[in-house]
Amino acid sequence: MEATATTSVAGAPAGGRNRHAAPWLAGAAALLAISGCASVTERVSPSVAPATPNVSITTEDLVGNWGLGSFREEKDLPRTINEARRYCNNPYVITRGPNNGVMMYLADQSQPSEVVLKNASGRVYIGPPGPAGMPKDRQITSFQDGVIVAPWVDPSVTARYGTMVFVRCAPAAPAATPARPASG
């Protein structure tokens, strides 16, 4: 009987190590076929993006005194709002910036920087001038009833500082005027 040698496309003998490559190649081809179908399906059907709340805020809304807090778990938000409100006796002060922004502290900075409101894809960010959604930005996910919820865009900053909560402080009560002695 005559022996025949079978070779693979690469010129190596068939069998041996290449015997394990066939199932792998078949699996890879199947995955490529499936991913091709998925991408066609995604283009045809509407994409389902996470709901982004409609946040309406202006630079003027930011100027003032704020109680500041942060949380790591969503269930802690109500408690954090109450704690932030207590810090109004030593408020986080946001002032107008020289170029129509506001002055706020960025992560890991000891001096305030001018930040601006930015919009992209229906989301509102606050951060240094430039494109929206940069690592130094915070995304304002909620602004209602004088409370701003703003996680950092950079996950490592959020891991260190948590999601920031700003609570508008009540305006300071006017100083009481001393009573005048009655003239008589």
Side-chain angles (χ1 to χ4, degrees):
M1 185 154 155
E2 190 175 310
T4 58
T6 309
T7 59
S8 68
V9 175
R17 285 188 216 171
N18 288 339
R19 165 177 44 213
H20 299 291
W24 183 86
L25 288 173
L31 285 175
L32 286 173
I34 291 170
S35 67
C37 293
S39 64
V40 170
T41 304
E42 288 179 62
R43 280 182 257 151
V44 173
S45 66
S47 63
V48 179
T52 303
N54 187 9
V55 177
S56 178
I57 190 166
T58 66
T59 302
E60 192 60 36
D61 291 330
L62 294 169
V63 175
N65 294 339
W66 297 86
L68 179 62
S70 72
F71 66 92
R72 296 191 191 294
E73 296 182 31
E74 195 68 33
K75 67 180 176 92
D76 294 331
L77 178 58
R79 180 187 55 79
T80 303
I81 290 170
N82 289 330
E83 288 296 318
R85 204 169 266 124
R86 290 187 184 117
Y87 285 108
C88 282
N89 62 354
N90 184 23
Y92 181 97
V93 179
I94 300 176
T95 59
R96 285 179 187 79
N99 298 306
N100 298 321
V102 293
M103 301 301 290
M104 293 178 73
Y105 290 91
L106 296 173
D108 306 321
Q109 289 190 344
S110 60
Q111 296 296 318
S113 299
E114 185 165 17
V115 295
V116 296
L117 289 168
K118 307 182 252 184
N119 293 294
S121 303
R123 295 184 174 135
V124 179
Y125 298 88
I126 185 159
M134 298 304 291
K136 289 187 177 185
D137 291 350
R138 292 174 219 171
Q139 181 185 351
I140 299 176
T141 57
S142 175
F143 175 52
Q144 53 184 272
D145 301 325
V147 177
I148 297 172
V149 178
W152 297 94
V153 170
D154 184 338
S156 68
V157 175
T158 299
R160 289 193 311 273
Y161 296 109
T163 296
M164 308 308 294
V165 176
F166 298 84
V167 177
R168 169 82 60 196
C169 297
T177 56
R180 292 181 163 194
S183 55

